[in-house]
Amino acid sequence: MQPLLLAHSRTLMRCIRWQREYPQTTKETDHSKPIGVGLIGYGLGGRAFHAPYIRAARDLSLRAVVSRDQGKVHADIANVAVSATVEEMLALPDIELVVVSSPDHLHADHAVQALDAGKHVVINKPFAASLGDARRVVAAAERIGRIVTAFHNRR
């Protein structure tokens, strides 16, 4: 397994293990099915790092991508839903985990939106643009009872 794929899989698997070990903190799910993932952002990070690694992990299923350019997403992944807004993607019932790969200054807002919708969250580096934003994200995760973690693929 490639080092980047291994690092990404480890980060995402924390969410999977949490959900399976502590089902009382999550909605009832059939754990024999892959975890449904929504990806916010399809720029370099979403396209080159997150989408390929999510698709390669057998316990994950990329179900939706938030992007302004549906054609760009479908050129790479024909069978994925493309949402124009974060709210639209978060309303999909089969999304359990959200990967935030939007512009850095939006990470905290998008993470809090996903947490408030009851999703686990992986945030691409940087975790937040300020300490206040980071604290807001962590407080939302604790309030909702969901996992939030940072993805950092190298260094």
Side-chain angles (χ1 to χ4, degrees):
M1 187 176 285
Q2 296 176 353
L4 291 178
L5 177 56
L6 183 59
H8 196 275
S9 294
R10 284 182 185 152
T11 299
L12 293 173
M13 294 324 241
R14 287 185 209 147
C15 291
I16 293 168
R17 280 196 289 274
W18 177 272
Q19 187 174 40
R20 291 186 176 158
E21 290 175 23
Y22 302 100
Q24 71 277 9
T25 64
T26 61
K27 65 182 179 181
E28 291 298 316
T29 30
D30 178 356
H31 297 302
S32 66
K33 295 180 180 179
I35 290 181
V37 179
L39 172 60
I40 300 174
Y42 203 70
L44 176 62
R47 187 177 67 255
F49 295 108
H50 299 292
Y53 302 153
I54 293 165
R55 294 178 70 211
R58 70 174 184 257
D59 289 331
L60 302 174
S61 174
L62 183 60
R63 301 214 173 118
V65 175
V66 176
S67 175
R68 293 177 294 191
D69 190 346
Q70 183 176 12
K72 181 170 78 171
V73 177
H74 282 154
D76 296 336
I77 314 165
N79 61 344
V80 70
V82 179
S83 299
T85 67
V86 173
E87 295 80 11
E88 182 182 316
M89 188 268 297
L90 292 174
L92 297 173
D94 59 348
I95 303 295
E96 300 168 70
L97 170 67
V98 172
V99 176
V100 177
S101 187
S102 54
D104 297 350
H105 70 281
L106 297 173
H107 284 185
D109 290 341
H110 288 160
V112 170
Q113 280 182 274
L115 290 162
D116 285 343
K119 316 301 183 188
H120 298 287
V121 177
V122 173
I123 305 172
N124 198 39
K125 63 172 179 57
F127 185 81
S130 70
L131 179 58
D133 279 348
R135 287 182 173 151
R136 187 166 52 96
V137 171
V138 171
E142 290 173 347
R143 182 179 71 250
I144 303 299
R146 294 293 182 263
I147 293 292
V148 64
T149 189
F151 171 73
H152 182 66
N153 61 353
R154 56 189 177 275
R155 281 189 249 164

